[in-house]
Amino acid sequence: MSDAETPFSIAVPDDQLELLKQKLELTRFPDELEDAGRDYGAPLADIQRLTKYWKDVHLPKWREHEAKLNEELPQFTRDIEVDGFGTLNIHYVHQKSTVVDAVPLLFVHGWPGSFVEVRKILPLLVEASPDHPSFHVVAIGLPSYGFSQGPSKKGFKCEQYAEVSNKLMLSLGYNEYVTQGGDWGALITKRIAQLYGPKHSKAWHTNMPLAGPPQLTQSPLLFLSHHLFKYSPKERAGIDRTNWFEEKGSGYFKEQSTQPQTLGYSLADSPVGLLGWIYEKLVNWTDEYPWTEDEVLTWVSIYWFSRAGPAASIRIYYEILQGSLQGVSQNMATPIPLGHSYFPKEIAIHPRRWLKAANPTLIFESEHESGGHFAAYERPEALVGDLRKMFGRGGPAFGVVPGKTGF
Amino acid sequence: MSQALSSEKPFQISISSFDLTLLRQKLELVRLAHEVDNAGWDYGVPLSEIKRLTAYWKDTFLPKWHEHEAKLNEDLGPQFTRDIEVDGGFGKINVHYVHRKSAVVDAVPLLFVHGWPGSVLEVKKILPLLVEESPDYPSFHVVAISLPGYGFSEAPQRKGFEAVQLAEVCNKLMLSLGYTEYVTQGGDVGSLVTRKIAQIYGPKHSKAWHTNSPIGEPPHPIKRPLLLLSHLLFSYSPSEKAGLERTMQFQKQGSGYFAQQSTQPQTLGYSLDDSPVGLLAWIYEKLVNWSDGYSWTDDEVLTWISVYWFSKSGPAASTRIYYELAQAYPEGIFSGVQTPIPVGHSYFPQDIFVVPRRWIRAANPTLVFESDHESGGHFAAHERPEELVSDLRKMFGKGGPCYGVVPGKTGYVVDVIKFGGRD
């Protein structure tokens, strides 16, 4: 039986709004090369337009945006003890379905995302229907993100994020649950699967499927196949996209995983700096998603007004990956069923045969013709459609949480 | 031949009150980042350092800016700006430079080229030593350029302005000052630029070059097989091993700025142009990590940062060279080091790229001068001015391998009696 929850409403103090206003008024923009396009980074015209809108429209109406978020997302906070790190006050969204035996689902965001990424899928997930399962949804605000407290000690790694997440679910009475995650959410839910599955985590789904390239000594047949048999045009495009990300799109990764504090001073002090830093990813990592100014600025505002400050959110790269992308695709195997959704504009896209070899418990796959990294936000119906197929009647993970089939 | 009207104008650093006010207002609104306990320097610049420097900047350094500015103008001596036309559609770029002539008429003309996050300030300490007259060592006429995109020079407006264009600007500057033949000294980006100058304009104009950022490529089975053989057969000295380790460590932990600036400089630029504390941290981390325990005073650091903050084109423009170099040289900037003119090296053990001597020698067949130092880091002209100048004096002085490399400009007073004639 879970104890009572402490409701939470986003209510940014007036002095923070005032400080942001004053800073926006003093913005100093860089110049830009002629015809730079997006080649050199976020385009100046976009950033100027967004900054002006922020100052003149979005910020003056912040209380409306805040109210809308509070209305759409039932939020709470709870103290969670983390071994070696003391108590962290965790912010989360929690909405139960009207279906009593809905499937408990933990949604885990990444960077530069937040709990806000659950916004569109939430109503779809909890929706009751005879034709598809419904879910009780918990969307955690990871420590150091949004309105969750951040750790004050060094060394808060994947295990700790997994521990917080599992403890949160248990404290809400969800002794058995499933998970959905992308970006850091993918790595964290994988760790949850490894540490707490199958006892607590019963199945996991990700929209950022991962696998390392075949090694001759570890998977000789795959290695041979890699060199002998061609990849499909789609797979080639995926490889190209992955190469683009590593060669041109991962500078932020290198900095955040080696000198996050140095970068952090910029992100904490400059709203336009934070905006540029995040907006570049919102554009480059999505499949032409038509971001409105309000969407971008709400997203960035959650970082700007975050409890731990924007600098804290990037420390995860340092703590877990320490400068190398290699750690991302290692040690993939989990003891519980796994489902994948493939979106063509994801930033790391691996050939299907690598994914199958690295993930022996893969029982569900769904391919999409469009969509990118922020699947829950860009393609909510598609993502929820996949979860409904995976966990619904006749699906490979139906009834994976005993007694909670979603119907 | 008629003398074309030169666009040279004398220049003094004189920051507007608008710019000073804006900076003050921003410093008053600083919002600092939190830090984990006992972070030290592991995660980047410590909060305690940034707190101290920011408070000092706001309360002491900035209010006294005019004093610092006056001292800067005094230390740098005569400064100028001049329009330089750049081929390939880049048009005219107004370039800022220091130009100090020695009292020795036949001093060796020397172009000093800074790097990132440096500036023309880096010439400050070596300037008086270089122009100094003595029978015991050569003296130099010194030109220290602010590279386009840095300090008080304009920035290029078009894509593709890389080392070739920077070399062109430098060469044209020297020619416009009447130095048809000259030598160069450079570190960091300045090393790349002076190498390019050597390759394109040597030996016709550039006669010899010296760098404190020497490089060489690692052994390779096909490209550099003899070096590979040596690598396998003969071990490296303890200091070479330490240097390699330092280099690897830098690649692993210290090169985030490089990855970002080479791929998405504009994205980073929004922070650097808008946040003084962001810019401070971004640069200060390098000043400390790349130098050899140099005791930076707060005034030094903030003067250095101020040149970026108050730069003509803004801090973001300075980072674009990394992008342009990555585009122009996909195989990397460590290959193609050879030049047709003599080169001299100074080796400082705490620089960020320190590779075995044999790699460097293999890459630099025209290497005529080497000097080893027990200490010192990346910013040699600032950290070890006497040592650097001493090396230049040895390289270019009487008995040195580059003595008289610029015909008629040996760096010494001509002894009239010895030559027994009219001067």
Side-chain angles (χ1 to χ4, degrees):
Chain A
M1 187 78 178
S2 66
D3 40 301
E5 293 186 85
T6 311
F8 176 88
S9 285
I10 305 167
V12 176
D14 285 334
D15 64 346
Q16 282 196 40
L17 299 181
E18 181 59 27
L19 178 63
L20 176 55
K21 174 169 174 280
Q22 291 173 332
K23 281 177 171 292
L24 287 171
E25 280 165 0
L26 295 180
T27 298
R28 192 176 76 156
F29 291 104
D31 64 355
E32 189 183 57
L33 297 180
E34 291 168 17
D35 304 314
R38 278 163 42 189
D39 295 350
Y40 290 72
L44 180 60
D46 287 3
I47 298 301
Q48 283 177 325
R49 174 176 48 84
L50 282 159
T51 304
K52 186 175 196 317
Y53 185 89
W54 200 354
K55 179 169 67 76
D56 298 340
V57 182
H58 187 91
L59 181 56
K61 287 191 179 172
W62 172 254
R63 295 298 179 205
E64 286 177 37
H65 297 295
E66 205 174 61
K68 207 154 179 298
L69 277 170
N70 289 332
E71 193 188 297
E72 282 176 39
L73 304 173
Q75 300 159 65
F76 307 86
T77 56
R78 174 174 290 258
D79 285 341
I80 308 268
E81 180 84 25
V82 182
D83 298 340
F85 289 87
T87 304
L88 294 178
N89 189 253
I90 301 300
H91 165 257
Y92 60 98
V93 173
H94 183 198
Q95 186 160 350
K96 290 180 99 82
S97 170
T98 52
V99 176
V100 172
D101 296 324
V103 184
L105 179 141
L106 171 69
F107 173 81
V108 185
H109 69 84
W111 185 94
S114 68
F115 68 93
V116 84
E117 288 181 81
V118 82
R119 189 172 202 172
K120 298 184 190 183
I121 58 173
L122 190 57
L124 300 171
L125 286 169
V126 301
E127 189 184 286
S129 163
D131 302 323
H132 57 248
S134 64
F135 301 82
H136 299 313
V137 179
V138 178
I140 185 174
L142 289 172
S144 295
Y145 288 74
F147 304 102
S148 290
Q149 206 178 354
S152 56
K153 284 179 162 193
K154 299 195 269 199
F156 200 92
K157 295 182 189 292
C158 220
E159 291 66 39
Q160 281 69 46
Y161 286 100
E163 183 188 335
V164 169
S165 302
N166 183 58
K167 280 179 170 169
L168 176 63
M169 291 306 273
L170 297 185
S171 73
L172 294 174
Y174 300 125
N175 198 52
E176 291 168 312
Y177 54 85
V178 302
T179 66
Q180 202 293 322
D183 195 82
W184 281 110
L187 278 94
I188 291 166
T189 53
K190 177 194 75 169
R191 207 76 188 99
I192 292 170
Q194 289 168 344
L195 294 173
Y196 305 109
K199 183 172 182 194
H200 298 298
S201 180
K202 311 302 285 186
W204 64 296
H205 174 279
T206 180
N207 49 291
M208 193 176 82
L210 295 168
Q215 305 289 333
L216 179 57
T217 48
Q218 286 164 5
S219 8
L221 289 178
L222 190 65
F223 182 85
L224 215 57
S225 140
H226 170 64
H227 289 280
L228 290 180
F229 303 115
K230 285 215 272 248
Y231 291 111
S232 69
K234 269 190 193 156
E235 287 180 314
R236 273 252 68 91
I239 291 172
D240 287 345
R241 175 110 172 124
T242 308
N243 287 340
W244 163 83
F245 174 74
E246 284 181 25
E247 283 160 24
K248 275 224 79 185
S250 62
Y252 81 97
F253 173 89
K254 192 72 186 165
E255 179 68 13
Q256 292 180 187
S257 60
T258 55
Q259 307 279 351
Q261 191 68 15
T262 293
L263 171 64
Y265 296 108
S266 289
L267 302 182
D269 187 55
S270 169
V272 73
L274 179 67
L275 169 62
W277 197 257
I278 290 178
Y279 179 69
E280 173 212 300
K281 285 80 180 166
L282 299 188
V283 172
N284 288 351
W285 298 2
T286 56
D287 191 356
E288 323 242 335
Y289 180 76
W291 293 95
T292 65
E293 275 94 344
D294 279 331
E295 281 181 307
V296 173
L297 294 167
T298 298
W299 200 289
V300 174
S301 293
I302 290 170
Y303 275 84
W304 182 261
F305 295 128
S306 60
R307 185 168 175 176
S313 72
I314 61 179
R315 254 171 240 143
I316 188 171
Y317 289 81
Y318 178 94
E319 299 292 11
I320 298 180
L321 292 173
Q322 287 271 326
S324 170
L325 274 168
Q326 275 187 354
V328 173
S329 300
Q330 285 169 354
N331 185 28
M332 292 305 304
T334 63
I336 58 175
L338 162 66
H340 284 170
S341 293
Y342 303 118
F343 292 95
K345 290 297 196 195
E346 180 53 276
I347 54 183
I349 298 182
H350 304 294
R352 217 49 64 78
R353 69 191 87 146
W354 299 9
L355 291 167
K356 289 181 174 137
N359 295 279
T361 60
L362 183 62
I363 46 112
F364 175 85
E365 291 181 283
S366 173
E367 184 157 4
H368 298 275
E369 296 300 300
S370 65
H373 184 73
F374 301 105
Y377 208 83
E378 292 176 69
R379 296 285 182 275
E381 284 92 3
L383 186 67
V384 173
D386 287 350
L387 292 169
R388 288 171 176 173
K389 283 201 210 86
M390 178 174 167
F391 292 103
R393 286 206 172 98
F398 176 65
V400 74
V401 178
K404 306 216 174 262
T405 63
F407 293 90
Chain B
M1 181 164 104
S2 70
Q3 192 111 45
L5 257 178
S6 127
S7 61
E8 183 177 87
K9 292 197 174 92
F11 178 88
Q12 290 280 275
I13 301 167
S14 177
I15 305 306
S16 73
S17 55
F18 174 84
D19 286 335
L20 294 172
T21 304
L22 180 62
L23 177 55
R24 179 179 54 76
Q25 291 171 322
K26 282 176 172 292
L27 287 172
E28 280 164 4
L29 294 180
V30 166
R31 191 175 75 156
L32 289 171
H34 300 304
E35 190 183 59
V36 288
D37 299 339
N38 307 120
W41 277 83
D42 296 349
Y43 292 72
V45 185
L47 178 57
S48 58
E49 297 277 298
I50 295 300
K51 254 192 186 153
R52 186 193 75 250
L53 281 161
T54 305
Y56 184 81
W57 199 353
K58 177 169 70 76
D59 300 333
T60 309
F61 184 87
L62 183 56
K64 286 191 179 170
W65 171 255
H66 294 294
E67 286 177 36
H68 297 294
E69 194 176 72
K71 183 130 202 322
L72 210 45
N73 284 324
E74 189 190 307
D75 287 340
L76 291 176
Q79 299 164 67
F80 306 87
T81 59
R82 168 188 291 266
D83 289 334
I84 307 268
E85 181 83 30
V86 184
D87 298 340
F90 291 100
K92 280 205 189 75
I93 300 205
N94 189 259
V95 167
H96 164 259
Y97 53 100
V98 165
H99 184 195
R100 195 182 296 191
K101 289 180 98 82
S102 168
V104 176
V105 172
D106 296 324
V108 184
L110 180 141
L111 171 70
F112 174 83
V113 187
H114 69 84
W116 187 96
S119 70
V120 78
L121 284 203
E122 289 181 83
V123 83
K124 193 179 75 148
K125 296 185 189 184
I126 60 173
L127 202 44
L129 301 170
L130 286 169
V131 300
E132 193 180 293
E133 178 184 335
S134 166
D136 300 326
Y137 45 75
S139 69
F140 302 83
H141 298 312
V142 181
V143 178
I145 186 175
S146 286
L147 289 172
Y150 292 74
F152 307 101
S153 289
E154 278 180 348
Q157 295 302 298
R158 286 179 161 202
K159 302 191 276 196
F161 197 98
E162 48 107 347
V164 168
Q165 284 68 39
L166 289 171
E168 182 188 335
V169 169
C170 289
N171 184 59
K172 281 178 169 168
L173 176 62
M174 292 305 272
L175 297 185
S176 73
L177 293 173
Y179 300 126
T180 331
E181 291 168 312
Y182 54 86
V183 302
T184 65
Q185 203 293 321
D188 195 84
V189 172
S191 182
L192 272 141
V193 174
T194 51
R195 182 218 300 178
K196 244 337 163 204
I197 293 172
Q199 288 167 344
I200 302 175
Y201 305 107
K204 183 173 181 191
H205 297 299
S206 180
K207 311 303 285 187
W209 63 295
H210 174 279
T211 180
N212 51 292
S213 306
I215 59 181
E217 281 182 290
H220 189 274
I222 294 166
K223 296 188 207 167
R224 289 170 292 283
L226 291 178
L227 197 62
L228 180 59
L229 205 60
S230 157
H231 170 80
L232 295 168
L233 293 178
F234 307 112
S235 58
Y236 296 119
S237 70
S239 63
E240 285 181 314
K241 285 191 187 143
L244 261 176
E245 213 182 285
R246 181 161 166 83
T247 306
M248 303 290 279
Q249 196 65 352
F250 171 75
Q251 289 300 313
K252 187 163 181 277
Q253 290 182 313
S255 63
Y257 80 98
F258 184 94
Q260 180 66 30
Q261 293 177 193
S262 310
T263 56
Q264 309 276 353
Q266 190 71 12
T267 292
L268 171 67
Y270 297 108
S271 291
L272 299 184
D273 272 61
D274 187 56
S275 170
V277 71
L279 177 69
L280 167 64
W282 197 258
I283 291 179
Y284 183 61
E285 173 208 296
K286 286 76 179 169
L287 298 187
V288 172
N289 287 350
W290 299 4
S291 62
D292 188 2
Y294 181 77
S295 313
W296 295 94
T297 65
D298 290 350
D299 280 341
E300 273 182 305
V301 173
L302 294 168
T303 302
W304 199 289
I305 305 303
S306 295
V307 170
Y308 274 83
W309 182 261
F310 294 129
S311 59
K312 185 151 187 179
S313 308
S318 72
T319 62
R320 274 174 214 141
I321 185 63
Y322 287 81
Y323 181 96
E324 303 297 359
L325 289 171
Q327 294 299 111
Y329 307 100
E331 71 283 5
I333 51 178
F334 294 108
S335 54
V337 180
Q338 278 193 55
T339 63
I341 58 174
V343 63
H345 289 167
S346 294
Y347 303 112
F348 292 96
Q350 294 302 308
D351 205 338
I352 52 183
F353 191 83
V354 180
V355 298
R357 213 49 60 84
R358 70 191 84 147
W359 300 8
I360 294 174
R361 288 182 187 139
N364 291 276
T366 61
L367 185 58
V368 301
F369 175 84
E370 291 180 288
S371 176
D372 261 288
H373 295 276
E374 295 297 302
S375 65
H378 188 70
F379 303 104
H382 195 76
E383 293 175 66
R384 297 283 184 279
E386 282 94 5
E387 287 86 336
L388 185 66
V389 172
S390 168
D391 285 350
L392 291 170
R393 288 170 176 172
K394 286 200 203 89
M395 180 174 167
F396 293 102
K398 279 181 175 141
C402 288
Y403 175 64
V405 74
V406 178
K409 306 218 175 258
T410 62
Y412 296 85
V413 175
V414 172
D415 191 334
V416 172
I417 293 166
K418 252 203 186 129
F419 287 92
R422 297 180 301 271
D423 54 314

